[in-house]
Amino acid sequence: MKLSLLAFMLTFSSMTAIFAQTNAAADKETYTKMITDRAAKIVTNLGLTDARKTEKVTVIVRDQYSNLNDIYAARDASVKEIKEKNKDNKIERDSALAKNSRTIDASLAKLHKKYISKLSAQLTNEQVELVKNGMTYNVLPITYKAYQEEILTLTEDQKKQIMIWLTEAREHAMDAESSDKKHAWFGKYKGRINNYLSAAGYDLKKEGIEWEKRRKARAEAN
């Protein structure tokens, strides 16, 4: 009876391990398909006519998503380990978490630079811009256009500054781990832009109301 029970437990353990490996492989396959499709959708908008180049750029974008995921997965594992190891020492825990965060930021910066270099070797500057916008839901051009439509009296210097900050936001957002965090980067910089415009004398609430009136009038005219 004991031998039979032991045999059953060993068999069950082996089946569980195989099941876990199968699930892991299936999850990886699903994830790879998802990021490949996402990359292909972005590359479709570049107007490439060379099939080999299209495939090469798609792989570069796909690999960037995969590499970012690896960095964040490693970060999550490190954070968990640090918290468990220092659960009774808040000072040590916070210090270790801060150090880990700096390490992650350095890894992201290095990966970002390498990624842009790879894209630039295959694409024009305009196409690289399209890839960046594609990875960040086109928030930059949409937001830049919205500011100009909302505030009709923006100076060229103000438009330039808005673009500088939105571009900086996009560089961060490209490396963010989720849609919410990508949008959060733009939200942070939009706050900076709004403060800048308010300091320049614009009443953003009033500008917003007037913009809404113009939009409504155009909609009714059509």
Side-chain angles (χ1 to χ4, degrees):
M1 181 67 179
K2 288 182 179 180
L3 287 174
S4 297
L5 180 59
L6 178 60
F8 171 77
M9 290 177 67
L10 289 172
T11 301
F12 179 76
S13 177
S14 298
M15 289 175 64
T16 301
I18 292 170
F19 181 73
Q21 291 170 5
T22 302
N23 275 359
D27 288 344
K28 184 174 182 180
E29 183 178 346
T30 299
Y31 175 71
T32 299
K33 183 180 185 306
M34 180 187 74
I35 59 176
T36 301
D37 290 345
R38 186 184 301 171
K41 186 176 180 180
I42 291 171
V43 175
T44 296
N45 294 322
L46 304 183
L48 298 176
T49 56
D50 186 315
R52 290 179 66 184
K53 176 172 280 193
T54 299
E55 182 180 2
K56 192 167 187 176
V57 175
T58 300
V59 169
I60 291 172
V61 178
R62 180 204 67 192
D63 287 351
Q64 178 68 359
Y65 280 119
S66 180
N67 291 334
L68 286 169
N69 184 67
D70 289 345
I71 288 176
Y72 285 117
R75 177 208 59 188
D76 291 344
S78 296
V79 167
K80 183 179 179 181
E81 182 180 355
I82 289 169
K83 287 182 176 180
E84 289 177 351
K85 184 178 179 180
N86 301 285
K87 58 184 177 181
D88 297 322
N89 191 328
K90 185 177 183 301
I91 295 176
E92 286 293 329
R93 182 197 68 195
D94 291 348
S95 176
L97 288 174
K99 182 179 179 181
N100 185 63
S101 181
R102 290 192 296 271
T103 300
I104 295 301
D105 288 344
S107 296
L108 290 172
K110 183 177 180 180
L111 178 65
H112 185 96
K113 184 177 181 180
K114 189 175 181 180
Y115 174 55
I116 299 304
S117 178
K118 287 181 178 179
L119 287 178
S120 298
Q122 301 296 326
L123 304 171
T124 65
N125 291 338
E126 291 75 13
Q127 289 170 330
V128 172
E129 287 289 300
L130 289 173
V131 172
K132 291 181 177 184
N133 286 333
M135 293 185 72
T136 53
Y137 313 109
N138 290 302
V139 174
L140 184 153
I142 291 171
T143 305
Y144 183 63
K145 182 173 181 285
Y147 271 115
Q148 293 181 84
E149 291 180 348
E150 179 179 1
I151 306 175
L152 301 177
T153 55
L154 287 173
T155 67
E156 290 305 312
D157 283 344
Q158 288 166 344
K159 292 176 185 178
K160 182 179 179 181
Q161 184 59 66
I162 290 171
M163 178 57 80
I164 287 172
W165 277 328
L166 288 177
T167 300
E168 191 174 328
R170 186 183 61 185
E171 295 303 302
H172 289 296
M174 283 173 60
D175 299 334
E177 61 193 290
S178 67
S179 173
D180 286 345
K181 292 192 176 181
K182 288 178 187 291
H183 284 289
W185 273 110
F186 284 104
K188 177 181 178 179
Y189 278 83
K190 283 169 68 177
R192 183 180 297 181
I193 292 168
N194 290 344
N195 290 338
Y196 165 73
L197 294 174
S198 294
Y202 290 105
D203 184 335
L204 296 184
K205 184 176 181 180
K206 182 179 178 181
E207 296 287 353
I209 292 172
E210 293 302 316
W211 182 33
E212 182 59 32
K213 287 180 182 178
R214 293 194 298 273
R215 293 167 68 188
K216 189 174 293 185
R218 283 198 299 271
E220 290 174 352
N222 294 329

